[in-house]
Amino acid sequence: MKTIKYFRALCLAVAAFTFTACSDSDSSGSSSQMKIDQIYLENIDDDVIKDRPVEFARLGQLLRIQGSGFTGVKRIYVNGYETYFNNALMTDNNIWVQLNSKTPVDKADESVRNTIVLYKSDSNQLVYPFIIRASAPSITNVDNTLPKAGELVKVSGANLQETAKVTLPDGTEITSGIENDEDGEWFTFTVPSSADLTVVGSITSEGANGIAVSPEFFNDFRCYITNFDGIGEMGSWSATYSPDDLVDDPLNSGRGKVCQLIPNVKLDAGGLDAGSNTLIWAMTGDGNDADWGRMFSYIPQNTPISDVALQFDIYCPEPWDLSGQIEFSLQNNLSNYGYGSGCTKYSSQYINTATVWVPWFNTEDGTHEAFTTGERWQTITIPLTAFGNYDPTQAPDLTFQKVDDDRKAGSYCNFLMLFCNSDLEDEELGAKYPASLFTQKIYVDNLRIVNTTAIAVSDFGDEEEDGTETE
C-alpha cells in the first residue's frame, strides 16, 4: 500500500461541503484551485438511479467526482491508498475512479481514513472527507436463535467490523457489551432481560460497513417439530425412547425437559459400543404434528429448499471428537445408518430424506477437531439440501412443497433422530475414523424448521419493483 508522502503539507479549506486546495503557479493546470462539489456512484445495474449522489461508497464501486480544477491531477489516494484512474477520461470537472478492493478500510491509518485526496503537487493537494466502506455486511449464522434472557448470542457473517448497535425483533436496541471480531467475521451480544423473546423476526446490526439483517428466524418456533415440553408429540414403539427418558435441562436455563441422546441407563451400563446405535427419538406419524403443510403459513411452499433448514439446540459440555454422529430423518424409512449411508444420499428410486451431523469432522479436508458448546446452549442450523434427495447437485430447483409431498407419500412420516456410533470413512477425502466406546452426555432440544432466506439491505432505501422496501 502506498501512502501520502507529505500529508502534513496539505492545505484544506472547508465550507458547505466544498473543499478548495492551496495552489502554486504552473501553466499546465497544476496551479489551479481544486474543488469537489459532489461524488456520484456510477452503477448501470441500478434500476432506480444509475448516476446517484452519495455520501459513502464501497470497495469495488465506480465513482464520478464532480467539481472543478481537476486538470493536472497526478495521483488520487483513497484512505491513503494510491488508486488508479484513467486520466484520458478526466476532464476539468469530472474524474472517474474505481475503488480498489485492496484499499484498507478499518485498518487504514486514522489520519487518512475516510478521505479522498487529489494530488497535483506537494503544495497543491485537496483532501475531501468521504466515508469508505468494505463490501456490504452480511449475516450468515446466529448460534443461539431461541435464547433466554442473559444468554450470549454469536452472530457470524462478513464485513461486520465495529458493530456498535444490535436491534432485536421487538425493537430492543443493544449498544453496550458488544464484542467484535477485528476481521468482521462475527460479533457477540448478551440478550437483555427487557427483550420480548416472543417476537419473531430478524437481528439487525449496524457497524462500520453499514446495516446487516439476519434471516427471520430469531425467536422462531412456529414451524415446530418438538420442544419435548408438550409442543410436538413423541411417537412410541419398541424401537424408540419414550417421554419418560427425557431429562430436566441440566443448565436450568428455562428450557424444561430435553433429550439426552444417550440416556443414563445406557451410560451407567458402560456406554454405547462402537458400531452401535441408540434407540430412536421419534415424533408421532399422524395428526397435526405430522402435517408439515401447516408450515406453509410461515414458510411458503414455493420457498427454495436451499432457503429452508432444520434447527435444533444442543448442549455439549465436554469435547466431542473422533467418534459418534447424530442422524436425522424427515420420515421413518431408514434402512441403513451413519455417515455416507445410502439413506443420506440422492436416489432416483427411493425417497431418501436423512442426513448425518458430525460436528468434529471437517467435510472439506477430512480433518477433525473437538466440538463443545461449553457451558451454554447453542443453535445448529442444517439446510434441507443436506438431506438425501434434496441434494442440489442432483435435484436442483426443488421447493419446500417437495418435502411435504415426500412425507405424505411415505408409509410413515415420523421425524426421527438417533445417535450413531459407526465408523466414519470418506474415500474422496482419504479420511477414516474407527468408532470407539462412547460415554459422553449430549443434550438436544427445540427441533424446528425455519426459513433462512437472506434479506438484502439497500444502501439507499429504494423500493424494489414489487413495492417492498429492502431496508
mmCIF file with all atom_site columns, all heavy atoms in Angstrom, residues 448-466:
data_model
loop_
_atom_site.group_PDB
_atom_site.id
_atom_site.type_symbol
_atom_site.label_atom_id
_atom_site.label_alt_id
_atom_site.label_comp_id
_atom_site.label_asym_id
_atom_site.label_entity_id
_atom_site.label_seq_id
_atom_site.pdbx_PDB_ins_code
_atom_site.Cartn_x
_atom_site.Cartn_y
_atom_site.Cartn_z
_atom_site.occupancy
_atom_site.B_iso_or_equiv
_atom_site.pdbx_formal_charge
_atom_site.auth_seq_id
_atom_site.auth_comp_id
_atom_site.auth_asym_id
_atom_site.auth_atom_id
_atom_site.pdbx_PDB_model_num
ATOM 1   N N   . ARG A 1 448 ? -36.896 -27.628 15.126  1.00 0.00 ? 448 ARG A N   1
ATOM 2   C CA  . ARG A 1 448 ? -37.849 -26.841 14.351  1.00 0.00 ? 448 ARG A CA  1
ATOM 3   C C   . ARG A 1 448 ? -37.348 -26.652 12.928  1.00 0.00 ? 448 ARG A C   1
ATOM 4   O O   . ARG A 1 448 ? -36.161 -26.826 12.642  1.00 0.00 ? 448 ARG A O   1
ATOM 5   C CB  . ARG A 1 448 ? -38.100 -25.476 14.991  1.00 0.00 ? 448 ARG A CB  1
ATOM 6   C CG  . ARG A 1 448 ? -36.919 -24.487 15.012  1.00 0.00 ? 448 ARG A CG  1
ATOM 7   C CD  . ARG A 1 448 ? -36.121 -24.581 16.284  1.00 0.00 ? 448 ARG A CD  1
ATOM 8   N NE  . ARG A 1 448 ? -35.145 -23.495 16.446  1.00 0.00 ? 448 ARG A NE  1
ATOM 9   C CZ  . ARG A 1 448 ? -34.167 -23.520 17.343  1.00 0.00 ? 448 ARG A CZ  1
ATOM 10  N NH1 . ARG A 1 448 ? -34.007 -24.561 18.126  1.00 0.00 ? 448 ARG A NH1 1
ATOM 11  N NH2 . ARG A 1 448 ? -33.352 -22.498 17.454  1.00 0.00 ? 448 ARG A NH2 1
ATOM 12  N N   . ILE A 1 449 ? -38.254 -26.278 12.043  1.00 0.00 ? 449 ILE A N   1
ATOM 13  C CA  . ILE A 1 449 ? -37.933 -25.921 10.664  1.00 0.00 ? 449 ILE A CA  1
ATOM 14  C C   . ILE A 1 449 ? -38.012 -24.402 10.551  1.00 0.00 ? 449 ILE A C   1
ATOM 15  O O   . ILE A 1 449 ? -38.949 -23.783 11.073  1.00 0.00 ? 449 ILE A O   1
ATOM 16  C CB  . ILE A 1 449 ? -38.899 -26.592 9.671   1.00 0.00 ? 449 ILE A CB  1
ATOM 17  C CG1 . ILE A 1 449 ? -38.837 -28.118 9.805   1.00 0.00 ? 449 ILE A CG1 1
ATOM 18  C CG2 . ILE A 1 449 ? -38.572 -26.177 8.238   1.00 0.00 ? 449 ILE A CG2 1
ATOM 19  C CD1 . ILE A 1 449 ? -37.488 -28.729 9.468   1.00 0.00 ? 449 ILE A CD1 1
ATOM 20  N N   . VAL A 1 450 ? -37.040 -23.792 9.881   1.00 0.00 ? 450 VAL A N   1
ATOM 21  C CA  . VAL A 1 450 ? -37.002 -22.334 9.785   1.00 0.00 ? 450 VAL A CA  1
ATOM 22  C C   . VAL A 1 450 ? -36.725 -21.901 8.352   1.00 0.00 ? 450 VAL A C   1
ATOM 23  O O   . VAL A 1 450 ? -36.174 -22.650 7.542   1.00 0.00 ? 450 VAL A O   1
ATOM 24  C CB  . VAL A 1 450 ? -35.937 -21.726 10.718  1.00 0.00 ? 450 VAL A CB  1
ATOM 25  C CG1 . VAL A 1 450 ? -36.265 -22.009 12.176  1.00 0.00 ? 450 VAL A CG1 1
ATOM 26  C CG2 . VAL A 1 450 ? -34.545 -22.246 10.360  1.00 0.00 ? 450 VAL A CG2 1
ATOM 27  N N   . ASN A 1 451 ? -37.098 -20.659 8.079   1.00 0.00 ? 451 ASN A N   1
ATOM 28  C CA  . ASN A 1 451 ? -36.821 -20.016 6.799   1.00 0.00 ? 451 ASN A CA  1
ATOM 29  C C   . ASN A 1 451 ? -35.497 -19.275 6.912   1.00 0.00 ? 451 ASN A C   1
ATOM 30  O O   . ASN A 1 451 ? -35.332 -18.405 7.762   1.00 0.00 ? 451 ASN A O   1
ATOM 31  C CB  . ASN A 1 451 ? -37.950 -19.037 6.456   1.00 0.00 ? 451 ASN A CB  1
ATOM 32  C CG  . ASN A 1 451 ? -37.880 -18.549 5.020   1.00 0.00 ? 451 ASN A CG  1
ATOM 33  O OD1 . ASN A 1 451 ? -36.823 -18.507 4.414   1.00 0.00 ? 451 ASN A OD1 1
ATOM 34  N ND2 . ASN A 1 451 ? -39.023 -18.150 4.481   1.00 0.00 ? 451 ASN A ND2 1
ATOM 35  N N   . THR A 1 452 ? -34.534 -19.624 6.064   1.00 0.00 ? 452 THR A N   1
ATOM 36  C CA  . THR A 1 452 ? -33.215 -18.997 6.127   1.00 0.00 ? 452 THR A CA  1
ATOM 37  C C   . THR A 1 452 ? -32.979 -18.040 4.963   1.00 0.00 ? 452 THR A C   1
ATOM 38  O O   . THR A 1 452 ? -31.833 -17.695 4.664   1.00 0.00 ? 452 THR A O   1
ATOM 39  C CB  . THR A 1 452 ? -32.103 -20.067 6.136   1.00 0.00 ? 452 THR A CB  1
ATOM 40  O OG1 . THR A 1 452 ? -32.191 -20.851 4.932   1.00 0.00 ? 452 THR A OG1 1
ATOM 41  C CG2 . THR A 1 452 ? -32.226 -20.972 7.343   1.00 0.00 ? 452 THR A CG2 1
ATOM 42  N N   . THR A 1 453 ? -34.055 -17.602 4.305   1.00 0.00 ? 453 THR A N   1
ATOM 43  C CA  . THR A 1 453 ? -33.912 -16.685 3.176   1.00 0.00 ? 453 THR A CA  1
ATOM 44  C C   . THR A 1 453 ? -33.142 -15.441 3.596   1.00 0.00 ? 453 THR A C   1
ATOM 45  O O   . THR A 1 453 ? -33.502 -14.774 4.582   1.00 0.00 ? 453 THR A O   1
ATOM 46  C CB  . THR A 1 453 ? -35.295 -16.276 2.636   1.00 0.00 ? 453 THR A CB  1
ATOM 47  O OG1 . THR A 1 453 ? -36.004 -17.446 2.227   1.00 0.00 ? 453 THR A OG1 1
ATOM 48  C CG2 . THR A 1 453 ? -35.152 -15.325 1.458   1.00 0.00 ? 453 THR A CG2 1
ATOM 49  N N   . ALA A 1 454 ? -32.086 -15.129 2.847   1.00 0.00 ? 454 ALA A N   1
ATOM 50  C CA  . ALA A 1 454 ? -31.282 -13.949 3.148   1.00 0.00 ? 454 ALA A CA  1
ATOM 51  C C   . ALA A 1 454 ? -32.091 -12.689 2.866   1.00 0.00 ? 454 ALA A C   1
ATOM 52  O O   . ALA A 1 454 ? -32.915 -12.641 1.942   1.00 0.00 ? 454 ALA A O   1
ATOM 53  C CB  . ALA A 1 454 ? -30.004 -13.959 2.314   1.00 0.00 ? 454 ALA A CB  1
ATOM 54  N N   . ILE A 1 455 ? -31.855 -11.654 3.659   1.00 0.00 ? 455 ILE A N   1
ATOM 55  C CA  . ILE A 1 455 ? -32.548 -10.384 3.487   1.00 0.00 ? 455 ILE A CA  1
ATOM 56  C C   . ILE A 1 455 ? -31.548 -9.335  3.001   1.00 0.00 ? 455 ILE A C   1
ATOM 57  O O   . ILE A 1 455 ? -30.596 -8.999  3.713   1.00 0.00 ? 455 ILE A O   1
ATOM 58  C CB  . ILE A 1 455 ? -33.208 -9.936  4.798   1.00 0.00 ? 455 ILE A CB  1
ATOM 59  C CG1 . ILE A 1 455 ? -34.258 -10.976 5.219   1.00 0.00 ? 455 ILE A CG1 1
ATOM 60  C CG2 . ILE A 1 455 ? -33.831 -8.556  4.657   1.00 0.00 ? 455 ILE A CG2 1
ATOM 61  C CD1 . ILE A 1 455 ? -34.929 -10.675 6.539   1.00 0.00 ? 455 ILE A CD1 1
ATOM 62  N N   . ALA A 1 456 ? -31.752 -8.859  1.788   1.00 0.00 ? 456 ALA A N   1
ATOM 63  C CA  . ALA A 1 456 ? -30.862 -7.853  1.224   1.00 0.00 ? 456 ALA A CA  1
ATOM 64  C C   . ALA A 1 456 ? -31.211 -6.480  1.773   1.00 0.00 ? 456 ALA A C   1
ATOM 65  O O   . ALA A 1 456 ? -32.388 -6.149  1.960   1.00 0.00 ? 456 ALA A O   1
ATOM 66  C CB  . ALA A 1 456 ? -30.964 -7.845  -0.301  1.00 0.00 ? 456 ALA A CB  1
ATOM 67  N N   . VAL A 1 457 ? -30.190 -5.705  2.035   1.00 0.00 ? 457 VAL A N   1
ATOM 68  C CA  . VAL A 1 457 ? -30.380 -4.353  2.553   1.00 0.00 ? 457 VAL A CA  1
ATOM 69  C C   . VAL A 1 457 ? -29.845 -3.363  1.530   1.00 0.00 ? 457 VAL A C   1
ATOM 70  O O   . VAL A 1 457 ? -28.681 -3.441  1.128   1.00 0.00 ? 457 VAL A O   1
ATOM 71  C CB  . VAL A 1 457 ? -29.642 -4.166  3.899   1.00 0.00 ? 457 VAL A CB  1
ATOM 72  C CG1 . VAL A 1 457 ? -29.823 -2.743  4.407   1.00 0.00 ? 457 VAL A CG1 1
ATOM 73  C CG2 . VAL A 1 457 ? -30.152 -5.170  4.920   1.00 0.00 ? 457 VAL A CG2 1
ATOM 74  N N   . SER A 1 458 ? -30.695 -2.460  1.093   1.00 0.00 ? 458 SER A N   1
ATOM 75  C CA  . SER A 1 458 ? -30.255 -1.434  0.159   1.00 0.00 ? 458 SER A CA  1
ATOM 76  C C   . SER A 1 458 ? -29.501 -0.341  0.903   1.00 0.00 ? 458 SER A C   1
ATOM 77  O O   . SER A 1 458 ? -29.897 0.065   1.999   1.00 0.00 ? 458 SER A O   1
ATOM 78  C CB  . SER A 1 458 ? -31.458 -0.823  -0.570  1.00 0.00 ? 458 SER A CB  1
ATOM 79  O OG  . SER A 1 458 ? -31.080 0.339   -1.276  1.00 0.00 ? 458 SER A OG  1
ATOM 80  N N   . ASP A 1 459 ? -28.424 0.139   0.308   1.00 0.00 ? 459 ASP A N   1
ATOM 81  C CA  . ASP A 1 459 ? -27.700 1.260   0.903   1.00 0.00 ? 459 ASP A CA  1
ATOM 82  C C   . ASP A 1 459 ? -28.518 2.542   0.865   1.00 0.00 ? 459 ASP A C   1
ATOM 83  O O   . ASP A 1 459 ? -28.219 3.492   1.586   1.00 0.00 ? 459 ASP A O   1
ATOM 84  C CB  . ASP A 1 459 ? -26.390 1.501   0.151   1.00 0.00 ? 459 ASP A CB  1
ATOM 85  C CG  . ASP A 1 459 ? -25.291 0.534   0.563   1.00 0.00 ? 459 ASP A CG  1
ATOM 86  O OD1 . ASP A 1 459 ? -25.332 0.052   1.709   1.00 0.00 ? 459 ASP A OD1 1
ATOM 87  O OD2 . ASP A 1 459 ? -24.406 0.256   -0.266  1.00 0.00 ? 459 ASP A OD2 1
ATOM 88  N N   . PHE A 1 460 ? -29.556 2.558   0.022   1.00 0.00 ? 460 PHE A N   1
ATOM 89  C CA  . PHE A 1 460 ? -30.244 3.815   -0.229  1.00 0.00 ? 460 PHE A CA  1
ATOM 90  C C   . PHE A 1 460 ? -31.727 3.779   0.098   1.00 0.00 ? 460 PHE A C   1
ATOM 91  O O   . PHE A 1 460 ? -32.435 4.759   -0.103  1.00 0.00 ? 460 PHE A O   1
ATOM 92  C CB  . PHE A 1 460 ? -30.048 4.220   -1.700  1.00 0.00 ? 460 PHE A CB  1
ATOM 93  C CG  . PHE A 1 460 ? -28.604 4.136   -2.119  1.00 0.00 ? 460 PHE A CG  1
ATOM 94  C CD1 . PHE A 1 460 ? -28.176 3.142   -2.974  1.00 0.00 ? 460 PHE A CD1 1
ATOM 95  C CD2 . PHE A 1 460 ? -27.673 5.030   -1.626  1.00 0.00 ? 460 PHE A CD2 1
ATOM 96  C CE1 . PHE A 1 460 ? -26.851 3.040   -3.349  1.00 0.00 ? 460 PHE A CE1 1
ATOM 97  C CE2 . PHE A 1 460 ? -26.342 4.939   -1.993  1.00 0.00 ? 460 PHE A CE2 1
ATOM 98  C CZ  . PHE A 1 460 ? -25.920 3.944   -2.854  1.00 0.00 ? 460 PHE A CZ  1
ATOM 99  N N   . GLY A 1 461 ? -32.247 2.623   0.549   1.00 0.00 ? 461 GLY A N   1
ATOM 100 C CA  . GLY A 1 461 ? -33.643 2.554   0.943   1.00 0.00 ? 461 GLY A CA  1
ATOM 101 C C   . GLY A 1 461 ? -34.603 2.625   -0.218  1.00 0.00 ? 461 GLY A C   1
ATOM 102 O O   . GLY A 1 461 ? -35.772 2.962   -0.045  1.00 0.00 ? 461 GLY A O   1
ATOM 103 N N   . ASP A 1 462 ? -34.133 2.298   -1.430  1.00 0.00 ? 462 ASP A N   1
ATOM 104 C CA  . ASP A 1 462 ? -35.008 2.350   -2.595  1.00 0.00 ? 462 ASP A CA  1
ATOM 105 C C   . ASP A 1 462 ? -36.037 1.238   -2.543  1.00 0.00 ? 462 ASP A C   1
ATOM 106 O O   . ASP A 1 462 ? -35.807 0.175   -1.970  1.00 0.00 ? 462 ASP A O   1
ATOM 107 C CB  . ASP A 1 462 ? -34.195 2.200   -3.883  1.00 0.00 ? 462 ASP A CB  1
ATOM 108 C CG  . ASP A 1 462 ? -33.240 3.365   -4.085  1.00 0.00 ? 462 ASP A CG  1
ATOM 109 O OD1 . ASP A 1 462 ? -33.592 4.501   -3.739  1.00 0.00 ? 462 ASP A OD1 1
ATOM 110 O OD2 . ASP A 1 462 ? -32.133 3.110   -4.572  1.00 0.00 ? 462 ASP A OD2 1
ATOM 111 N N   . GLU A 1 463 ? -37.164 1.451   -3.174  1.00 0.00 ? 463 GLU A N   1
ATOM 112 C CA  . GLU A 1 463 ? -38.183 0.417   -3.269  1.00 0.00 ? 463 GLU A CA  1
ATOM 113 C C   . GLU A 1 463 ? -37.906 -0.467  -4.470  1.00 0.00 ? 463 GLU A C   1
ATOM 114 O O   . GLU A 1 463 ? -37.475 -0.010  -5.523  1.00 0.00 ? 463 GLU A O   1
ATOM 115 C CB  . GLU A 1 463 ? -39.563 1.031   -3.404  1.00 0.00 ? 463 GLU A CB  1
ATOM 116 C CG  . GLU A 1 463 ? -40.028 1.740   -2.129  1.00 0.00 ? 463 GLU A CG  1
ATOM 117 C CD  . GLU A 1 463 ? -41.477 2.149   -2.208  1.00 0.00 ? 463 GLU A CD  1
ATOM 118 O OE1 . GLU A 1 463 ? -42.089 1.924   -3.261  1.00 0.00 ? 463 GLU A OE1 1
ATOM 119 O OE2 . GLU A 1 463 ? -41.992 2.680   -1.227  1.00 0.00 ? 463 GLU A OE2 1
ATOM 120 N N   . GLU A 1 464 ? -38.128 -1.773  -4.292  1.00 0.00 ? 464 GLU A N   1
ATOM 121 C CA  . GLU A 1 464 ? -37.987 -2.707  -5.397  1.00 0.00 ? 464 GLU A CA  1
ATOM 122 C C   . GLU A 1 464 ? -39.210 -2.597  -6.307  1.00 0.00 ? 464 GLU A C   1
ATOM 123 O O   . GLU A 1 464 ? -40.188 -1.917  -5.995  1.00 0.00 ? 464 GLU A O   1
ATOM 124 C CB  . GLU A 1 464 ? -37.871 -4.141  -4.851  1.00 0.00 ? 464 GLU A CB  1
ATOM 125 C CG  . GLU A 1 464 ? -36.672 -4.337  -3.937  1.00 0.00 ? 464 GLU A CG  1
ATOM 126 C CD  . GLU A 1 464 ? -35.354 -4.238  -4.671  1.00 0.00 ? 464 GLU A CD  1
ATOM 127 O OE1 . GLU A 1 464 ? -35.336 -4.418  -5.899  1.00 0.00 ? 464 GLU A OE1 1
ATOM 128 O OE2 . GLU A 1 464 ? -34.337 -3.970  -4.016  1.00 0.00 ? 464 GLU A OE2 1
ATOM 129 N N   . GLU A 1 465 ? -39.174 -3.309  -7.419  1.00 0.00 ? 465 GLU A N   1
ATOM 130 C CA  . GLU A 1 465 ? -40.255 -3.234  -8.387  1.00 0.00 ? 465 GLU A CA  1
ATOM 131 C C   . GLU A 1 465 ? -41.582 -3.713  -7.812  1.00 0.00 ? 465 GLU A C   1
ATOM 132 O O   . GLU A 1 465 ? -42.640 -3.282  -8.225  1.00 0.00 ? 465 GLU A O   1
ATOM 133 C CB  . GLU A 1 465 ? -39.904 -4.042  -9.639  1.00 0.00 ? 465 GLU A CB  1
ATOM 134 C CG  . GLU A 1 465 ? -38.780 -3.410  -10.453 1.00 0.00 ? 465 GLU A CG  1
ATOM 135 C CD  . GLU A 1 465 ? -38.505 -4.194  -11.723 1.00 0.00 ? 465 GLU A CD  1
ATOM 136 O OE1 . GLU A 1 465 ? -39.182 -5.220  -11.942 1.00 0.00 ? 465 GLU A OE1 1
ATOM 137 O OE2 . GLU A 1 465 ? -37.632 -3.770  -12.487 1.00 0.00 ? 465 GLU A OE2 1
ATOM 138 N N   . ASP A 1 466 ? -41.513 -4.641  -6.818  1.00 0.00 ? 466 ASP A N   1
ATOM 139 C CA  . ASP A 1 466 ? -42.758 -5.141  -6.245  1.00 0.00 ? 466 ASP A CA  1
ATOM 140 C C   . ASP A 1 466 ? -43.304 -4.225  -5.173  1.00 0.00 ? 466 ASP A C   1
ATOM 141 O O   . ASP A 1 466 ? -44.330 -4.494  -4.561  1.00 0.00 ? 466 ASP A O   1
ATOM 142 C CB  . ASP A 1 466 ? -42.580 -6.562  -5.691  1.00 0.00 ? 466 ASP A CB  1
ATOM 143 C CG  . ASP A 1 466 ? -41.585 -6.596  -4.533  1.00 0.00 ? 466 ASP A CG  1
ATOM 144 O OD1 . ASP A 1 466 ? -41.031 -5.548  -4.168  1.00 0.00 ? 466 ASP A OD1 1
ATOM 145 O OD2 . ASP A 1 466 ? -41.357 -7.707  -4.008  1.00 0.00 ? 466 ASP A OD2 1
#
